[in-house]
Amino acid sequence: MTDSREKVLLPPADLAVIGSGQLGRMFVQAAQRMGYRAGVLSTTEDAPAAQVANWTVIGPPDRLAALRAVCEKAEGVTVEFENVSAPALRWLARRRIVRPGWRTVWTCQNRLREKTFLTRHGIPHAPWRPVRTVDELEAAGRGLGLPLILKTASSGYDGKGQVLVHEAGDLPTAWVSLGRVPCVAEGWVEFAAEVSVVVARGRGGEAVAYPVGLNQHERHILDTTVMPAPVGPIVTQEARSMALAVAQSLGTEGVLCVEFFLKQDGRLLVNEIAPRPHNSGHLTIEASVTSQFEQQVRALCGLPLGREDLATPAAMANLLGDIWIEAGGEPRWDAALRRDPGVKVHLYGKRRPATGRKMGHLTVIDPDPQNALARVRSARRALVHG
């Protein structure tokens, strides 16, 4: 076994990412630009990250043979999503540099643990109750009032695994619809906006917080992000400070995103924590001095973090499979790029579009963030309507 916590990984060292979706793809591309070799642990050969990786290990992320193969190829390991086996990360960490650590991932991959963490550290968040039994379900309804949101403790994303409940009599049905698995019940929050902050934290506690992003969602899926968010200097400072406090309290090393509800009175409540790069941070590829993915590489390798400030304001719009379906085939890329030559297109290499599936994103940089948002939305409309 190797104790390599203090080791700095320099190019052309081999790095690995567990998971092979679009976040893994962009990590691999950032690592390669810096001169590293980058591979993936993937369940399929044609996944987005595997398409661009230097090498691929095929197998489930909790299979010992696959983990051993990753150890043979890579000196440093990171993750692209939180639903990774914590015991697998702990096994890897005894042999290789692993960032973020298994405790960070373990905490964030389960809403019961995540809410308990926020409560223990006094970080503002929505009122909640655990739901693991019928008695706890009934107690949640009494304690939180209605409406409330019932969410599965694990494996939920983009609105999956949650039910909005308006009537007390509907609570049992809602829990049954979620499979009667452990859940959290969250009190309803009237919010003015949803914002997020991406944080990068190095091995020695060095940390930076990106500017605040203002997020718009459609059907519980992120639709657009504009950065910096027009929320004023006080909310901006508080959001960044709270995100840094979350990262420090978790002891995370790597990139982390904190999503907030911003209430009408200016109060911020932490909604969710993602212990990896985030969809709302994709625009940092063009807009920031150092992208969230380069920060992930730097943090993993023990290098100093880069500057997190924006070179220019920007906006990002997700491209879902709905666009392909509405266009009746390939979107009209020529029309969108002709309308605005400043638009940047990122496609993830996914072969089959489907409703709600993230196929790529568009980014526009502009001195005026609201103009950037208008331009990126206009370009996206042109993909269907010309």
Side-chain angles (χ1 to χ4, degrees):
M1 296 186 183
T2 303
D3 183 6
S4 53
R5 295 289 300 166
E6 299 305 315
K7 182 178 180 181
V8 176
L9 301 179
L10 299 175
D14 275 86
L15 311 178
V17 58
I18 298 177
S20 55
Q22 62 264 23
L23 297 178
R25 180 187 182 100
M26 288 180 271
F27 167 82
V28 167
Q29 291 168 330
Q32 291 170 338
R33 282 194 296 272
M34 295 176 69
Y36 292 94
R37 287 174 49 84
V40 299
L41 174 55
S42 174
T43 55
T44 62
E45 293 182 353
D46 196 40
Q51 293 169 10
V52 299
N54 294 99
W55 48 264
T56 302
V57 172
I58 301 297
D62 58 353
R63 192 68 55 83
L64 185 57
L67 298 176
R68 283 176 172 157
V70 168
C71 274
E72 290 175 0
K73 291 179 172 292
E75 295 182 67
V77 183
T78 190
V79 301
E80 70 140 16
F81 57 92
E82 50 268 40
N83 293 320
V84 175
S85 165
L89 291 182
R90 185 165 50 186
W91 185 91
L92 283 168
R94 293 197 295 267
R95 295 157 175 83
R96 295 291 183 264
I97 294 172
V98 177
R99 299 187 176 112
W102 71 269
R103 290 184 184 276
T104 294
V105 174
W106 180 80
T107 299
C108 296
Q109 68 186 195
N110 181 283
R111 288 190 173 104
L112 286 167
R113 293 194 288 265
E114 184 176 275
K115 299 292 185 185
T116 300
F117 160 80
L118 293 172
T119 301
R120 181 184 304 123
H121 290 276
I123 298 168
H125 56 284
W128 70 283
R129 297 288 190 279
V131 174
R132 293 158 297 196
T133 65
V134 171
D135 287 344
E136 287 186 336
L137 181 67
E138 294 173 351
R142 292 191 302 269
L144 297 172
L146 296 166
L148 61 76
I149 302 176
L150 197 62
K151 299 180 178 181
T152 57
S154 59
S155 302
Y157 66 97
D158 287 346
K160 297 176 176 65
Q162 58 182 267
V163 180
L164 177 61
V165 182
H166 291 277
E167 303 291 338
D170 294 334
L171 278 170
T173 302
W175 196 32
V176 168
S177 73
L178 296 174
R180 292 174 61 92
V181 297
C183 291
V184 297
E186 292 182 6
W188 181 256
V189 175
E190 292 288 349
F191 57 86
E194 294 178 275
V195 298
S196 59
V197 176
V198 174
V199 170
R201 189 169 184 270
R203 62 174 181 172
E206 169 197 14
V208 297
Y210 282 86
V212 181
L214 176 66
N215 303 322
Q216 296 285 339
H217 291 79
E218 295 288 340
R219 295 172 299 167
H220 302 288
I221 303 172
L222 183 64
D223 185 55
T224 62
T225 297
V226 61
M227 190 183 292
V231 294
I234 295 176
V235 170
T236 294
Q237 182 177 353
E238 186 176 12
R240 296 176 78 182
S241 296
M242 287 175 63
L244 287 166
V246 168
Q248 181 177 357
S249 297
L250 276 172
T252 193
E253 295 177 340
V255 173
L256 173 147
C257 181
V258 182
E259 298 177 77
F260 299 92
F261 293 131
L262 174 60
K263 300 189 70 176
Q264 292 283 359
D265 61 6
R267 285 189 297 159
L268 287 162
L269 300 177
V270 173
N271 178 28
E272 292 186 347
I273 307 168
R276 34 94 179 153
H278 192 262
N279 197 170
S280 65
H282 288 351
L283 55 76
T284 63
I285 295 173
E286 280 85 18
S288 297
V289 175
T290 311
S291 78
Q292 64 171 345
F293 298 101
E294 182 178 333
Q295 299 282 34
Q296 187 181 18
V297 176
R298 287 173 176 242
L300 172 61
C301 296
L303 297 172
L305 299 178
R307 284 175 50 191
E308 77 285 2
D309 49 317
L310 296 178
T312 179
M316 181 278 304
N318 268 329
L319 304 177
L320 303 183
D322 308 59
I323 291 174
W324 278 251
I325 295 169
E326 190 176 351
E330 197 67 20
R332 298 185 59 179
W333 305 109
D334 57 335
L337 297 178
R338 188 179 302 111
R339 174 170 296 189
D340 191 336
V343 169
K344 299 293 186 180
V345 180
H346 295 258
L347 294 177
Y348 304 150
K350 297 179 181 179
R351 308 301 187 192
R352 293 184 299 277
T355 299
R357 191 182 195 199
K358 294 172 184 174
M359 302 292 291
H361 69 269
L362 303 178
T363 302
V364 168
I365 60 174
D366 192 288
D368 182 343
Q370 293 307 308
N371 195 44
L373 182 60
R375 287 172 58 193
V376 81
R377 284 174 168 165
S378 176
R380 185 171 60 181
R381 285 193 298 272
L383 293 174
V384 175
H385 303 294

